[in-house]
Amino acid sequence: MTQNQQILDFVAKYQALMNPDKVVWIDGSKAQKNALTEEAIETGEVLKLNNKLLPGCLYHRTAINDVARVENRTFICSQDKTNAGPTNNWMDPQEAYAKLDAIAKDCMVGRTMYVIPFSMGKIGSPFAKYGIELTDSIYVVLNMIIMTRVSDKVLDKIGESGTFVRGIHSKVKLEEANRYICQFPEDNTIYSLNSGYGGNVLLGKKCFALRIASYQGWKEGWMAEHMLILGIQKPDGDTKYVAAAFPSACGKTNLAMLIPPDCYTSKGYKVFTVGDDIAWIRKGRGGKLYAVNPENGFFGVAPGTNIKSNPNALISTQKNTIFTNVLYNPKTNTVWWEGLDKNPPAEAIDWKGNPWTPNTVDANGVKVKGAHPNSRFTAPAKNCPCISPEFESRTGVPLTAIIFGGRRAKAAPLVYESFNWKHGVFVGAIMASETTAAAAGAVGVVRHDPMAMLPFCGYHMGDYFQHWLNIGAKVKKNAPRIFNVNWFRTDANGNFIWPGYGDNMRVLDWILKRCENAVDAKETAIGYVPNSADIELDGLDFSTKDLETILDVDKTTWTAESEDIEKFFEKFGDRLPAELKNQLTALKRRVKKISN
Ligand code: OXD
Ligand code: MN
């Protein structure tokens, strides 16, 4: 397959350690993919779904102890502990390699080792970065073929540059106690053992395109971010691009694929999806920031996805898609999940493989979910009806705005704009959000999640903040404007106040108008907040008064918030940029002046 000695040495080293019966090089061809699919169907690793209703679609269940990213078992293995920073788990690289090698020894006996050459970003484009993942899972191979650009051409490209990210994955025995997701940023290496869940094992995604790439970007002067990218085409045909960072399972896929309300579509507005999870951003033509989506598919959360909430995502999953941990309907040989529709199958098999009916309850009488809350679809990006014509762009799309957003029942207003780039970096750094099922652990707990990168930043987060400030200084007046949104404010009964989904277009519209200096705003302690009359409410049963309740900036809440930020910032010690300390002091001063 290749004469590149570095690649051959890498494969040989882990072949010798893990001792597979066979080594298969993945070439990206249809014929090989089909043969592997047939093999996985035969062994039961995947199930072929109804070819009429879901052509080319497969179903898979992971082990029940292995359904989400495991942040407490994820490590940044930098030579110097302080370089991993206070927000990452750290392991000494020598110790980590020794520990992982011991676990991996002979783990592929009786198995095949697949060698996957893949590209993050369009092969040969200025943004592209290459990797090789070794794995003993056909499920991983089939997912990687959807999520990245898998091709033997990558081997030639690596030959030219000589550098690639080394990914080693084995299911080993799927033991929780020996599950490790280790990143070695200084070695361009990822080592993932004892898991079969996407976020831990599709090494191109979180491990490479965020953890390793954020480190590469820091060293090379660009950024790898946990952001969707979308384009809004206005009636005059001009398209503006926006990137938005939200923590996992907070609606990035829904926002990326939104369908605007009638009052916009009737005027000719259209939304195009460039990416739903990861953006690589760098300075380009005209001194502006440009973004690409380095992925080739969507690894989306299934529950809650339906023909109303996100028709584009649902349509994307109707062919050549892999469903993981959703409910299986044996009668129709199809799948179902909570929130798909109001017609669950009368008898089915739940995500754990147990018989299920809509009335199944557990020992405590609580209804059993058919699909795991973090069940997923892996769908090719090209299936998406609103995929952007710029999806394959080699140079990316110019960013007009960057949006940060968390899931906050209180505190953050529906939308506000930062005063400038430096303040915008502060706004990103103080992001907090309620935890979701995308990561193992408690759900609904508010935690600080700067720029939605808490689980994904491959180096010291204080240095990461400084990197953001440096990038702003590089693009100066051409910097995108920075905003914060919160779709998740709740009323006294815990119900969401803002309708969200397609109606978020109304907020994006305000954001674009701000970027064009076409609308005024109220200067508040935390930033510029819309005048309620400037958010389009046409066609919505939502009064200006309702809007005001979610645009308020409350003194007591923000006083508590500032104290909490201060505590969080203390973690970073002297690696917290002075600029952010000054921003906090200024925020506190402004909050004090809020009149009740
Ligand atoms: C994801 C995640 O899968 O953030 O995108 O967990
Ligand atoms: Mn994500």
PDB file of all heavy atoms in Angstrom, residues 557-588:
ATOM      1  N   THR A 557     -28.397  37.839  39.893  1.00  0.00           N
ATOM      2  CA  THR A 557     -27.880  36.674  39.155  1.00  0.00           C
ATOM      3  C   THR A 557     -26.466  36.926  38.664  1.00  0.00           C
ATOM      4  O   THR A 557     -25.580  36.074  38.796  1.00  0.00           O
ATOM      5  CB  THR A 557     -28.791  36.394  37.928  1.00  0.00           C
ATOM      6  OG1 THR A 557     -30.128  36.356  38.375  1.00  0.00           O
ATOM      7  CG2 THR A 557     -28.429  35.108  37.236  1.00  0.00           C
ATOM      8  N   TRP A 558     -26.227  38.114  38.109  1.00  0.00           N
ATOM      9  CA  TRP A 558     -24.906  38.390  37.534  1.00  0.00           C
ATOM     10  C   TRP A 558     -23.848  38.682  38.585  1.00  0.00           C
ATOM     11  O   TRP A 558     -22.659  38.481  38.343  1.00  0.00           O
ATOM     12  CB  TRP A 558     -24.993  39.474  36.450  1.00  0.00           C
ATOM     13  CG  TRP A 558     -25.434  38.809  35.167  1.00  0.00           C
ATOM     14  CD1 TRP A 558     -26.710  38.684  34.705  1.00  0.00           C
ATOM     15  CD2 TRP A 558     -24.592  38.096  34.244  1.00  0.00           C
ATOM     16  NE1 TRP A 558     -26.725  37.946  33.543  1.00  0.00           N
ATOM     17  CE2 TRP A 558     -25.443  37.576  33.235  1.00  0.00           C
ATOM     18  CE3 TRP A 558     -23.232  37.828  34.163  1.00  0.00           C
ATOM     19  CZ2 TRP A 558     -24.952  36.817  32.162  1.00  0.00           C
ATOM     20  CZ3 TRP A 558     -22.747  37.083  33.102  1.00  0.00           C
ATOM     21  CH2 TRP A 558     -23.598  36.578  32.115  1.00  0.00           C
ATOM     22  N   THR A 559     -24.304  39.108  39.782  1.00  0.00           N
ATOM     23  CA  THR A 559     -23.348  39.265  40.880  1.00  0.00           C
ATOM     24  C   THR A 559     -22.842  37.869  41.276  1.00  0.00           C
ATOM     25  O   THR A 559     -21.631  37.636  41.391  1.00  0.00           O
ATOM     26  CB  THR A 559     -24.015  39.955  42.099  1.00  0.00           C
ATOM     27  OG1 THR A 559     -24.570  41.192  41.643  1.00  0.00           O
ATOM     28  CG2 THR A 559     -23.037  40.201  43.224  1.00  0.00           C
ATOM     29  N   ALA A 560     -23.787  36.937  41.414  1.00  0.00           N
ATOM     30  CA  ALA A 560     -23.404  35.560  41.768  1.00  0.00           C
ATOM     31  C   ALA A 560     -22.559  34.949  40.645  1.00  0.00           C
ATOM     32  O   ALA A 560     -21.555  34.269  40.902  1.00  0.00           O
ATOM     33  CB  ALA A 560     -24.662  34.726  42.007  1.00  0.00           C
ATOM     34  N   GLU A 561     -22.959  35.227  39.421  1.00  0.00           N
ATOM     35  CA  GLU A 561     -22.248  34.678  38.259  1.00  0.00           C
ATOM     36  C   GLU A 561     -20.788  35.170  38.255  1.00  0.00           C
ATOM     37  O   GLU A 561     -19.859  34.398  38.037  1.00  0.00           O
ATOM     38  CB  GLU A 561     -22.989  35.158  36.990  1.00  0.00           C
ATOM     39  CG  GLU A 561     -22.638  34.432  35.732  1.00  0.00           C
ATOM     40  CD  GLU A 561     -23.278  33.045  35.590  1.00  0.00           C
ATOM     41  OE1 GLU A 561     -24.098  32.646  36.428  1.00  0.00           O
ATOM     42  OE2 GLU A 561     -22.891  32.350  34.641  1.00  0.00           O
ATOM     43  N   SER A 562     -20.593  36.469  38.537  1.00  0.00           N
ATOM     44  CA  SER A 562     -19.228  37.030  38.522  1.00  0.00           C
ATOM     45  C   SER A 562     -18.366  36.381  39.598  1.00  0.00           C
ATOM     46  O   SER A 562     -17.180  36.117  39.380  1.00  0.00           O
ATOM     47  CB  SER A 562     -19.218  38.536  38.764  1.00  0.00           C
ATOM     48  OG  SER A 562     -20.263  39.150  38.119  1.00  0.00           O
ATOM     49  N   GLU A 563     -18.995  36.133  40.762  1.00  0.00           N
ATOM     50  CA  GLU A 563     -18.216  35.491  41.841  1.00  0.00           C
ATOM     51  C   GLU A 563     -17.796  34.081  41.431  1.00  0.00           C
ATOM     52  O   GLU A 563     -16.674  33.633  41.692  1.00  0.00           O
ATOM     53  CB  GLU A 563     -19.039  35.441  43.136  1.00  0.00           C
ATOM     54  CG  GLU A 563     -19.064  36.784  43.830  1.00  0.00           C
ATOM     55  CD  GLU A 563     -20.206  36.922  44.824  1.00  0.00           C
ATOM     56  OE1 GLU A 563     -20.829  35.900  45.168  1.00  0.00           O
ATOM     57  OE2 GLU A 563     -20.471  38.070  45.234  1.00  0.00           O
ATOM     58  N   ASP A 564     -18.725  33.419  40.770  1.00  0.00           N
ATOM     59  CA  ASP A 564     -18.454  32.062  40.311  1.00  0.00           C
ATOM     60  C   ASP A 564     -17.353  32.042  39.242  1.00  0.00           C
ATOM     61  O   ASP A 564     -16.476  31.171  39.251  1.00  0.00           O
ATOM     62  CB  ASP A 564     -19.771  31.555  39.709  1.00  0.00           C
ATOM     63  CG  ASP A 564     -19.798  30.073  39.634  1.00  0.00           C
ATOM     64  OD1 ASP A 564     -19.414  29.444  40.625  1.00  0.00           O
ATOM     65  OD2 ASP A 564     -20.164  29.543  38.559  1.00  0.00           O
ATOM     66  N   ILE A 565     -17.385  33.035  38.362  1.00  0.00           N
ATOM     67  CA  ILE A 565     -16.354  33.126  37.312  1.00  0.00           C
ATOM     68  C   ILE A 565     -14.991  33.355  37.969  1.00  0.00           C
ATOM     69  O   ILE A 565     -13.987  32.763  37.582  1.00  0.00           O
ATOM     70  CB  ILE A 565     -16.676  34.287  36.328  1.00  0.00           C
ATOM     71  CG1 ILE A 565     -17.967  34.005  35.558  1.00  0.00           C
ATOM     72  CG2 ILE A 565     -15.515  34.532  35.370  1.00  0.00           C
ATOM     73  CD1 ILE A 565     -18.562  35.231  34.872  1.00  0.00           C
ATOM     74  N   GLU A 566     -14.987  34.204  38.982  1.00  0.00           N
ATOM     75  CA  GLU A 566     -13.730  34.516  39.667  1.00  0.00           C
ATOM     76  C   GLU A 566     -13.113  33.230  40.229  1.00  0.00           C
ATOM     77  O   GLU A 566     -11.923  32.974  40.070  1.00  0.00           O
ATOM     78  CB  GLU A 566     -13.986  35.522  40.786  1.00  0.00           C
ATOM     79  CG  GLU A 566     -12.719  35.989  41.445  1.00  0.00           C
ATOM     80  CD  GLU A 566     -12.896  37.328  42.147  1.00  0.00           C
ATOM     81  OE1 GLU A 566     -14.057  37.718  42.424  1.00  0.00           O
ATOM     82  OE2 GLU A 566     -11.872  37.975  42.418  1.00  0.00           O
ATOM     83  N   LYS A 567     -13.965  32.413  40.851  1.00  0.00           N
ATOM     84  CA  LYS A 567     -13.474  31.130  41.418  1.00  0.00           C
ATOM     85  C   LYS A 567     -12.939  30.235  40.304  1.00  0.00           C
ATOM     86  O   LYS A 567     -11.894  29.602  40.441  1.00  0.00           O
ATOM     87  CB  LYS A 567     -14.618  30.419  42.138  1.00  0.00           C
ATOM     88  CG  LYS A 567     -14.605  30.682  43.611  1.00  0.00           C
ATOM     89  CD  LYS A 567     -15.438  29.652  44.365  1.00  0.00           C
ATOM     90  CE  LYS A 567     -16.410  30.384  45.264  1.00  0.00           C
ATOM     91  NZ  LYS A 567     -17.812  30.144  45.034  1.00  0.00           N
ATOM     92  N   PHE A 568     -13.687  30.185  39.206  1.00  0.00           N
ATOM     93  CA  PHE A 568     -13.272  29.326  38.090  1.00  0.00           C
ATOM     94  C   PHE A 568     -11.935  29.804  37.531  1.00  0.00           C
ATOM     95  O   PHE A 568     -11.030  29.015  37.282  1.00  0.00           O
ATOM     96  CB  PHE A 568     -14.356  29.339  37.011  1.00  0.00           C
ATOM     97  CG  PHE A 568     -14.014  28.517  35.795  1.00  0.00           C
ATOM     98  CD1 PHE A 568     -13.832  27.145  35.901  1.00  0.00           C
ATOM     99  CD2 PHE A 568     -13.856  29.111  34.549  1.00  0.00           C
ATOM    100  CE1 PHE A 568     -13.508  26.373  34.782  1.00  0.00           C
ATOM    101  CE2 PHE A 568     -13.529  28.353  33.432  1.00  0.00           C
ATOM    102  CZ  PHE A 568     -13.355  26.979  33.550  1.00  0.00           C
ATOM    103  N   PHE A 569     -11.798  31.103  37.373  1.00  0.00           N
ATOM    104  CA  PHE A 569     -10.567  31.665  36.807  1.00  0.00           C
ATOM    105  C   PHE A 569      -9.352  31.403  37.702  1.00  0.00           C
ATOM    106  O   PHE A 569      -8.227  31.322  37.217  1.00  0.00           O
ATOM    107  CB  PHE A 569     -10.729  33.172  36.565  1.00  0.00           C
ATOM    108  CG  PHE A 569     -11.379  33.523  35.237  1.00  0.00           C
ATOM    109  CD1 PHE A 569     -11.846  32.531  34.381  1.00  0.00           C
ATOM    110  CD2 PHE A 569     -11.501  34.851  34.830  1.00  0.00           C
ATOM    111  CE1 PHE A 569     -12.443  32.847  33.165  1.00  0.00           C
ATOM    112  CE2 PHE A 569     -12.089  35.178  33.609  1.00  0.00           C
ATOM    113  CZ  PHE A 569     -12.560  34.178  32.778  1.00  0.00           C
ATOM    114  N   GLU A 570      -9.591  31.301  39.022  1.00  0.00           N
ATOM    115  CA  GLU A 570      -8.461  31.068  39.947  1.00  0.00           C
ATOM    116  C   GLU A 570      -7.685  29.796  39.587  1.00  0.00           C
ATOM    117  O   GLU A 570      -6.472  29.704  39.784  1.00  0.00           O
ATOM    118  CB  GLU A 570      -8.964  30.970  41.394  1.00  0.00           C
ATOM    119  CG  GLU A 570      -9.101  32.332  42.052  1.00  0.00           C
ATOM    120  CD  GLU A 570      -9.933  32.287  43.330  1.00  0.00           C
ATOM    121  OE1 GLU A 570     -10.146  31.172  43.880  1.00  0.00           O
ATOM    122  OE2 GLU A 570     -10.386  33.365  43.763  1.00  0.00           O
ATOM    123  N   LYS A 571      -8.415  28.816  39.040  1.00  0.00           N
ATOM    124  CA  LYS A 571      -7.787  27.545  38.622  1.00  0.00           C
ATOM    125  C   LYS A 571      -6.585  27.738  37.716  1.00  0.00           C
ATOM    126  O   LYS A 571      -5.690  26.917  37.664  1.00  0.00           O
ATOM    127  CB  LYS A 571      -8.787  26.766  37.751  1.00  0.00           C
ATOM    128  CG  LYS A 571      -9.744  25.908  38.426  1.00  0.00           C
ATOM    129  CD  LYS A 571     -10.453  25.093  37.353  1.00  0.00           C
ATOM    130  CE  LYS A 571     -11.435  24.172  38.043  1.00  0.00           C
ATOM    131  NZ  LYS A 571     -11.836  23.074  37.243  1.00  0.00           N
ATOM    132  N   PHE A 572      -6.634  28.804  36.907  1.00  0.00           N
ATOM    133  CA  PHE A 572      -5.631  28.947  35.846  1.00  0.00           C
ATOM    134  C   PHE A 572      -4.369  29.654  36.318  1.00  0.00           C
ATOM    135  O   PHE A 572      -3.385  29.738  35.582  1.00  0.00           O
ATOM    136  CB  PHE A 572      -6.235  29.673  34.634  1.00  0.00           C
ATOM    137  CG  PHE A 572      -7.432  28.944  34.077  1.00  0.00           C
ATOM    138  CD1 PHE A 572      -8.721  29.356  34.356  1.00  0.00           C
ATOM    139  CD2 PHE A 572      -7.251  27.809  33.315  1.00  0.00           C
ATOM    140  CE1 PHE A 572      -9.810  28.656  33.878  1.00  0.00           C
ATOM    141  CE2 PHE A 572      -8.346  27.095  32.824  1.00  0.00           C
ATOM    142  CZ  PHE A 572      -9.626  27.529  33.111  1.00  0.00           C
ATOM    143  N   GLY A 573      -4.411  30.154  37.559  1.00  0.00           N
ATOM    144  CA  GLY A 573      -3.238  30.793  38.146  1.00  0.00           C
ATOM    145  C   GLY A 573      -2.663  31.853  37.234  1.00  0.00           C
ATOM    146  O   GLY A 573      -3.398  32.618  36.599  1.00  0.00           O
ATOM    147  N   ASP A 574      -1.319  31.856  37.112  1.00  0.00           N
ATOM    148  CA  ASP A 574      -0.704  32.931  36.336  1.00  0.00           C
ATOM    149  C   ASP A 574      -0.768  32.652  34.826  1.00  0.00           C
ATOM    150  O   ASP A 574      -0.248  33.436  34.037  1.00  0.00           O
ATOM    151  CB  ASP A 574       0.734  33.197  36.802  1.00  0.00           C
ATOM    152  CG  ASP A 574       1.608  31.962  36.667  1.00  0.00           C
ATOM    153  OD1 ASP A 574       1.124  30.955  36.089  1.00  0.00           O
ATOM    154  OD2 ASP A 574       2.758  31.990  37.136  1.00  0.00           O
ATOM    155  N   ARG A 575      -1.415  31.546  34.438  1.00  0.00           N
ATOM    156  CA  ARG A 575      -1.568  31.343  32.988  1.00  0.00           C
ATOM    157  C   ARG A 575      -2.903  31.888  32.489  1.00  0.00           C
ATOM    158  O   ARG A 575      -3.227  31.768  31.305  1.00  0.00           O
ATOM    159  CB  ARG A 575      -1.359  29.883  32.621  1.00  0.00           C
ATOM    160  CG  ARG A 575       0.171  29.697  32.445  1.00  0.00           C
ATOM    161  CD  ARG A 575       0.615  28.315  32.503  1.00  0.00           C
ATOM    162  NE  ARG A 575       0.749  27.674  31.216  1.00  0.00           N
ATOM    163  CZ  ARG A 575       1.492  26.570  31.049  1.00  0.00           C
ATOM    164  NH1 ARG A 575       2.165  26.057  32.057  1.00  0.00           N
ATOM    165  NH2 ARG A 575       1.559  25.998  29.875  1.00  0.00           N
ATOM    166  N   LEU A 576      -3.660  32.506  33.400  1.00  0.00           N
ATOM    167  CA  LEU A 576      -4.857  33.209  32.930  1.00  0.00           C
ATOM    168  C   LEU A 576      -4.399  34.539  32.340  1.00  0.00           C
ATOM    169  O   LEU A 576      -3.754  35.329  33.021  1.00  0.00           O
ATOM    170  CB  LEU A 576      -5.824  33.471  34.093  1.00  0.00           C
ATOM    171  CG  LEU A 576      -7.113  34.165  33.658  1.00  0.00           C
ATOM    172  CD1 LEU A 576      -8.051  33.166  32.974  1.00  0.00           C
ATOM    173  CD2 LEU A 576      -7.827  34.805  34.839  1.00  0.00           C
ATOM    174  N   PRO A 577      -4.712  34.819  31.065  1.00  0.00           N
ATOM    175  CA  PRO A 577      -4.254  36.086  30.493  1.00  0.00           C
ATOM    176  C   PRO A 577      -4.739  37.290  31.316  1.00  0.00           C
ATOM    177  O   PRO A 577      -5.885  37.306  31.766  1.00  0.00           O
ATOM    178  CB  PRO A 577      -4.898  36.089  29.102  1.00  0.00           C
ATOM    179  CG  PRO A 577      -5.199  34.662  28.797  1.00  0.00           C
ATOM    180  CD  PRO A 577      -5.458  33.999  30.109  1.00  0.00           C
ATOM    181  N   ALA A 578      -3.854  38.272  31.476  1.00  0.00           N
ATOM    182  CA  ALA A 578      -4.206  39.471  32.247  1.00  0.00           C
ATOM    183  C   ALA A 578      -5.456  40.116  31.659  1.00  0.00           C
ATOM    184  O   ALA A 578      -6.295  40.665  32.381  1.00  0.00           O
ATOM    185  CB  ALA A 578      -3.033  40.447  32.211  1.00  0.00           C
ATOM    186  N   GLU A 579      -5.583  40.019  30.339  1.00  0.00           N
ATOM    187  CA  GLU A 579      -6.740  40.620  29.668  1.00  0.00           C
ATOM    188  C   GLU A 579      -8.055  40.066  30.252  1.00  0.00           C
ATOM    189  O   GLU A 579      -9.023  40.804  30.450  1.00  0.00           O
ATOM    190  CB  GLU A 579      -6.666  40.316  28.164  1.00  0.00           C
ATOM    191  CG  GLU A 579      -7.815  40.870  27.349  1.00  0.00           C
ATOM    192  CD  GLU A 579      -7.946  42.385  27.437  1.00  0.00           C
ATOM    193  OE1 GLU A 579      -6.921  43.068  27.358  1.00  0.00           O
ATOM    194  OE2 GLU A 579      -9.092  42.876  27.596  1.00  0.00           O
ATOM    195  N   LEU A 580      -8.084  38.759  30.544  1.00  0.00           N
ATOM    196  CA  LEU A 580      -9.327  38.175  31.053  1.00  0.00           C
ATOM    197  C   LEU A 580      -9.574  38.605  32.499  1.00  0.00           C
ATOM    198  O   LEU A 580     -10.719  38.792  32.914  1.00  0.00           O
ATOM    199  CB  LEU A 580      -9.317  36.649  30.921  1.00  0.00           C
ATOM    200  CG  LEU A 580      -9.308  36.114  29.482  1.00  0.00           C
ATOM    201  CD1 LEU A 580      -9.636  34.626  29.467  1.00  0.00           C
ATOM    202  CD2 LEU A 580     -10.281  36.847  28.565  1.00  0.00           C
ATOM    203  N   LYS A 581      -8.493  38.767  33.265  1.00  0.00           N
ATOM    204  CA  LYS A 581      -8.644  39.290  34.635  1.00  0.00           C
ATOM    205  C   LYS A 581      -9.248  40.690  34.577  1.00  0.00           C
ATOM    206  O   LYS A 581     -10.164  41.023  35.318  1.00  0.00           O
ATOM    207  CB  LYS A 581      -7.267  39.375  35.314  1.00  0.00           C
ATOM    208  CG  LYS A 581      -6.928  38.146  36.122  1.00  0.00           C
ATOM    209  CD  LYS A 581      -5.622  38.352  36.888  1.00  0.00           C
ATOM    210  CE  LYS A 581      -4.716  37.181  36.574  1.00  0.00           C
ATOM    211  NZ  LYS A 581      -3.323  37.350  36.811  1.00  0.00           N
ATOM    212  N   ASN A 582      -8.720  41.496  33.659  1.00  0.00           N
ATOM    213  CA  ASN A 582      -9.227  42.870  33.527  1.00  0.00           C
ATOM    214  C   ASN A 582     -10.690  42.868  33.087  1.00  0.00           C
ATOM    215  O   ASN A 582     -11.499  43.673  33.544  1.00  0.00           O
ATOM    216  CB  ASN A 582      -8.403  43.663  32.500  1.00  0.00           C
ATOM    217  CG  ASN A 582      -6.964  43.791  32.948  1.00  0.00           C
ATOM    218  OD1 ASN A 582      -6.660  43.609  34.133  1.00  0.00           O
ATOM    219  ND2 ASN A 582      -6.061  44.085  32.015  1.00  0.00           N
ATOM    220  N   GLN A 583     -11.013  41.946  32.196  1.00  0.00           N
ATOM    221  CA  GLN A 583     -12.402  41.862  31.727  1.00  0.00           C
ATOM    222  C   GLN A 583     -13.324  41.516  32.895  1.00  0.00           C
ATOM    223  O   GLN A 583     -14.428  42.049  32.993  1.00  0.00           O
ATOM    224  CB  GLN A 583     -12.534  40.785  30.636  1.00  0.00           C
ATOM    225  CG  GLN A 583     -11.893  41.153  29.304  1.00  0.00           C
ATOM    226  CD  GLN A 583     -12.689  42.197  28.525  1.00  0.00           C
ATOM    227  OE1 GLN A 583     -13.860  42.464  28.815  1.00  0.00           O
ATOM    228  NE2 GLN A 583     -12.039  42.814  27.553  1.00  0.00           N
ATOM    229  N   LEU A 584     -12.864  40.638  33.781  1.00  0.00           N
ATOM    230  CA  LEU A 584     -13.706  40.257  34.921  1.00  0.00           C
ATOM    231  C   LEU A 584     -13.892  41.454  35.858  1.00  0.00           C
ATOM    232  O   LEU A 584     -15.009  41.715  36.327  1.00  0.00           O
ATOM    233  CB  LEU A 584     -13.082  39.069  35.666  1.00  0.00           C
ATOM    234  CG  LEU A 584     -13.828  38.622  36.925  1.00  0.00           C
ATOM    235  CD1 LEU A 584     -15.277  38.236  36.622  1.00  0.00           C
ATOM    236  CD2 LEU A 584     -13.117  37.443  37.602  1.00  0.00           C
ATOM    237  N   THR A 585     -12.812  42.184  36.107  1.00  0.00           N
ATOM    238  CA  THR A 585     -12.909  43.367  36.969  1.00  0.00           C
ATOM    239  C   THR A 585     -13.917  44.355  36.373  1.00  0.00           C
ATOM    240  O   THR A 585     -14.775  44.904  37.069  1.00  0.00           O
ATOM    241  CB  THR A 585     -11.526  44.057  37.085  1.00  0.00           C
ATOM    242  OG1 THR A 585     -10.593  43.055  37.447  1.00  0.00           O
ATOM    243  CG2 THR A 585     -11.518  45.174  38.099  1.00  0.00           C
ATOM    244  N   ALA A 586     -13.830  44.533  35.070  1.00  0.00           N
ATOM    245  CA  ALA A 586     -14.733  45.481  34.401  1.00  0.00           C
ATOM    246  C   ALA A 586     -16.179  44.985  34.479  1.00  0.00           C
ATOM    247  O   ALA A 586     -17.104  45.776  34.705  1.00  0.00           O
ATOM    248  CB  ALA A 586     -14.295  45.665  32.943  1.00  0.00           C
ATOM    249  N   LEU A 587     -16.370  43.680  34.331  1.00  0.00           N
ATOM    250  CA  LEU A 587     -17.735  43.134  34.419  1.00  0.00           C
ATOM    251  C   LEU A 587     -18.312  43.404  35.806  1.00  0.00           C
ATOM    252  O   LEU A 587     -19.450  43.863  35.947  1.00  0.00           O
ATOM    253  CB  LEU A 587     -17.734  41.615  34.139  1.00  0.00           C
ATOM    254  CG  LEU A 587     -19.076  40.920  34.396  1.00  0.00           C
ATOM    255  CD1 LEU A 587     -20.126  41.333  33.356  1.00  0.00           C
ATOM    256  CD2 LEU A 587     -18.941  39.390  34.390  1.00  0.00           C
ATOM    257  N   LYS A 588     -17.492  43.137  36.832  1.00  0.00           N
ATOM    258  CA  LYS A 588     -17.977  43.320  38.197  1.00  0.00           C
ATOM    259  C   LYS A 588     -18.369  44.782  38.441  1.00  0.00           C
ATOM    260  O   LYS A 588     -19.391  45.072  39.057  1.00  0.00           O
ATOM    261  CB  LYS A 588     -16.911  42.867  39.209  1.00  0.00           C
ATOM    262  CG  LYS A 588     -16.870  41.343  39.312  1.00  0.00           C
ATOM    263  CD  LYS A 588     -15.617  40.836  39.903  1.00  0.00           C
ATOM    264  CE  LYS A 588     -15.650  40.707  41.382  1.00  0.00           C
ATOM    265  NZ  LYS A 588     -14.352  40.175  41.880  1.00  0.00           N
TER     266      LYS A 588
END
